[in-house]
Amino acid sequence: MTVGEAYCAEIIKLLFSMTFTGSIISLVLFFLKPVMKGKLPQSFQYYMWLSAVTALLLPLSRIIVIPKTDASAVSPPHDIARQISDAVSEKLANPAFVMRPTFLPGTAVILYAIWQSGMILVLGFHILCYVSYVRKLSRHNISADQKERGLAVRLSGKKKALRLYKNAMVNTPILIGFFRPAVILPDRKYEDVKLRNILLHEMTHKKRHDIFIKWLLILAGAVHWFNPLVYFMRREMNKACELACDEFVIKGFDRNEMQQYGDTLIAVAADSVRKIPLLIAMFEDKKNLKERLGAIMKHKRYSKRTVIAASVILATVMCVIFGICALFSAQDGYAYMDKYSLEDKMQIKESELGRALYHYDKENIDSAIVHLQYSDDGEITRVYTYITGREKNPDTEMLSGIIAFISEDLGLDISNISLDYIDAETLTLRASVGE
């Protein structure tokens, strides 16, 4: 297995580890949903999904060391790899030192290419649709009137309120923009109460940074495009986002104001909107209208003790899941390494040690190539190291330090370590003569 194939294999393992952990957490949250309904704040039920998103985007259940090669360490000028390989061939008549050629990409490389292509296509499609839609809207945006802008300023409590536009192309209020969010209203007149409710709703989305979370969901969906559970998670989290936003808006309302807010939702839901994934519409799915209205009318206050207790329980469950997934990942990693041939393992070890030597003394070492001699049971018996450095006449302390480093890394006696050193200038002259 080449270093490139090993790199792809590690990426695929990492990806499957994240999608497995994220899927387990999502299934647990789907299972807990009916249990928590009506017993915990909607905001808590919304933000708890961030644990699944985090698991999908960060490898929290395992620590990965990817065997990739530093180009400056193993690909020096004047084709040093060829020069040293020739020297090794002359010195060692052992087929174990010959790097096995690879004519066809391995399974890991193919899977990596398929995954990366799918991710680019999915993410590119969403971004392209978003950019195209925003550009189309920008051509028809008109500034809101003074009364509407004044209401936005009063509700925000700031001199510079959220940007407010009207647009004949939209049928429902939307919040759009990542760095400079703006509210775009349909080009029609709204009653004062409805306009107030609409602006409060969109301002709440901005305060809670829901657009940023939308981007995270799109990214998770692109990275894990092959996992159907991620699409159900995105849909569930989008629904939870709106319920949480409604809850935040009405937390200070009396029963009459709640009724008016519900009437605003009904009025907005009467219109339709083309769903664009990276913007927030006040109403995207009419199927959720009944649930949102029910949540508004059943709204109640929850004690801090209840929220803290639920948070502790949820955090405990997440830690247990991460721990179990980490254990399985570690076992899988060992099993995966067992599938490597002995030659593959030694080639990866040679690459890692060569890279480690380069980083051990970057100021003096230009490149390091290592060849391992080993027994049939995988025990390393001798090491042949070829160093290209900047010093023409390196001192004994430098060479002894390199040998000691190799000895400590491999747990091998220094008498079994062979070190050949050549300065870069001499090597360049030799390469020129060879040409």
Side-chain angles (χ1 to χ4, degrees):
M1 177 179 288
T2 66
V3 175
E5 289 174 335
Y7 172 84
C8 292
E10 291 295 344
I11 291 294
I12 295 300
K13 287 195 297 178
L14 178 63
L15 183 66
F16 282 143
S17 172
M18 292 191 298
T19 205
F20 176 74
T21 306
S23 296
I24 293 298
I25 293 176
S26 297
L27 289 173
V28 170
L29 295 179
F30 275 119
F31 175 77
L32 292 176
K33 181 186 174 183
V35 178
M36 294 184 294
K37 189 174 183 179
K39 298 177 182 178
L40 288 170
Q42 298 290 348
S43 296
F44 180 87
Q45 298 181 52
Y46 171 47
Y47 287 124
M48 72 180 185
W49 285 100
L50 288 178
S51 59
V53 177
T54 302
L56 289 169
L57 294 177
L58 296 177
L60 300 178
S61 64
R62 57 180 299 179
I63 300 174
I64 294 293
V65 178
I66 299 175
K68 67 178 180 179
T69 304
D70 192 316
S72 60
V74 298
S75 299
H78 303 292
D79 198 8
I80 186 174
R82 177 175 58 81
Q83 298 289 330
I84 295 181
S85 295
D86 291 343
V88 174
S89 299
E90 293 174 3
K91 187 169 182 177
L92 305 170
N94 190 332
F97 296 122
V98 180
M99 299 293 285
R100 184 177 59 189
T102 303
F103 299 100
L104 293 175
T107 303
V109 177
I110 295 174
L111 289 175
Y112 178 82
I114 293 173
W115 164 73
Q116 192 171 60
S117 299
M119 181 184 67
I120 292 172
L121 286 173
V122 172
L123 189 59
F125 173 77
H126 285 312
I127 294 177
L128 185 64
C129 289
Y130 173 76
V131 171
S132 175
Y133 187 71
V134 169
R135 286 183 176 178
K136 190 181 295 183
L137 285 181
S138 63
R139 291 196 294 266
H140 298 83
N141 280 343
I142 58 175
S143 296
D145 60 41
Q146 186 174 357
K147 179 181 178 182
E148 293 164 336
R149 293 198 305 272
L151 178 58
V153 170
R154 289 196 299 275
L155 292 175
S156 65
K158 301 176 182 179
K159 293 181 179 179
K160 189 176 180 180
L162 193 66
R163 292 184 302 153
L164 191 61
Y165 299 101
K166 285 193 168 184
N167 195 309
M169 289 188 61
V170 300
N171 296 318
T172 191
I174 59 174
L175 178 67
I176 194 169
F178 184 77
F179 296 105
R180 298 182 61 203
V183 175
I184 301 180
L185 303 172
D187 191 12
R188 66 170 67 101
K189 286 289 184 180
Y190 284 103
E191 298 175 8
D192 290 346
V193 173
K194 285 186 172 58
L195 181 60
R196 172 177 172 271
N197 289 332
I198 289 171
L199 293 178
L200 283 174
H201 183 93
E202 302 304 338
M203 287 177 179
T204 299
H205 277 306
K206 179 180 179 295
K207 289 178 183 177
R208 296 161 66 94
H209 306 290
D210 289 331
I211 290 181
F212 174 73
I213 295 176
K214 285 262 186 178
W215 278 92
L216 287 182
L217 286 174
I218 293 298
L219 180 59
V223 172
H224 301 273
W225 57 266
F226 55 88
N227 185 349
L229 191 61
V230 175
Y231 296 92
F232 290 102
M233 184 203 75
R234 279 176 49 191
R235 187 175 65 181
E236 187 64 31
M237 196 166 178
N238 285 331
K239 183 166 65 174
C241 175
E242 293 303 325
L243 289 169
C245 185
D246 292 339
E247 179 185 66
F248 188 89
V249 172
I250 66 173
K251 64 181 180 180
F253 284 7
D254 56 29
R255 300 300 296 180
N256 182 53
E257 289 174 319
M258 289 183 187
Q259 181 65 52
Q260 292 174 340
Y261 185 81
D263 292 340
T264 302
L265 288 184
I266 294 173
V268 172
D271 301 315
S272 60
V273 62
R274 180 188 173 192
K275 296 179 72 174
I276 302 297
L278 292 174
L279 56 78
I280 295 179
M282 187 173 181
F283 217 101
E284 294 184 353
D285 192 348
K286 296 178 183 179
K287 295 179 181 179
N288 298 328
L289 177 59
K290 183 177 179 180
E291 183 176 0
R292 289 179 68 177
L293 292 175
I296 290 169
M297 301 315 297
K298 295 177 184 178
H299 174 71
K300 61 180 180 180
R301 295 183 180 274
Y302 297 89
S303 66
K304 289 184 178 180
R305 183 179 299 178
T306 300
V307 177
I308 292 173
S311 300
V312 171
I313 294 172
L314 182 62
T316 303
V317 172
M318 295 303 106
C319 288
V320 171
I321 292 174
F322 282 127
I324 293 174
C325 290
L327 179 62
F328 277 106
S329 295
Q331 292 176 346
D332 178 67
Y334 291 128
Y336 193 88
M337 280 301 294
D338 289 340
K339 297 177 184 178
Y340 288 174
S341 68
L342 180 57
E343 183 180 355
D344 288 337
K345 293 178 182 179
M346 290 302 165
Q347 288 179 3
I348 292 174
K349 183 62 180 175
E350 288 170 349
S351 174
E352 290 176 344
L353 183 53
R355 187 173 68 253
L357 284 171
Y358 169 75
H359 289 288
Y360 165 73
D361 191 0
K362 286 184 178 181
E363 294 183 359
N364 296 315
I365 297 177
D366 285 336
S367 67
I369 290 185
V370 177
H371 291 277
L372 302 177
Q373 191 172 15
Y374 49 91
S375 61
D376 292 339
D377 60 359
E379 181 181 358
I380 298 173
T381 57
R382 192 163 185 81
V383 182
Y384 297 88
T385 310
Y386 300 86
I387 301 291
T388 303
R390 296 180 178 86
E391 295 289 336
K392 196 171 186 66
N393 297 304
D395 54 35
T396 304
E397 183 180 354
M398 174 185 170
L399 298 179
S400 298
I402 294 174
I403 293 175
F405 180 86
I406 297 172
S407 174
E408 183 178 353
D409 185 83
L410 297 178
L412 194 66
D413 190 87
I414 60 174
S415 62
N416 295 320
I417 299 173
S418 174
L419 175 62
D420 284 352
Y421 180 94
I422 186 171
D423 64 279
E425 182 180 350
T426 303
L427 180 66
T428 302
L429 290 173
R430 289 185 183 180
S432 299
V433 172
E435 292 175 358

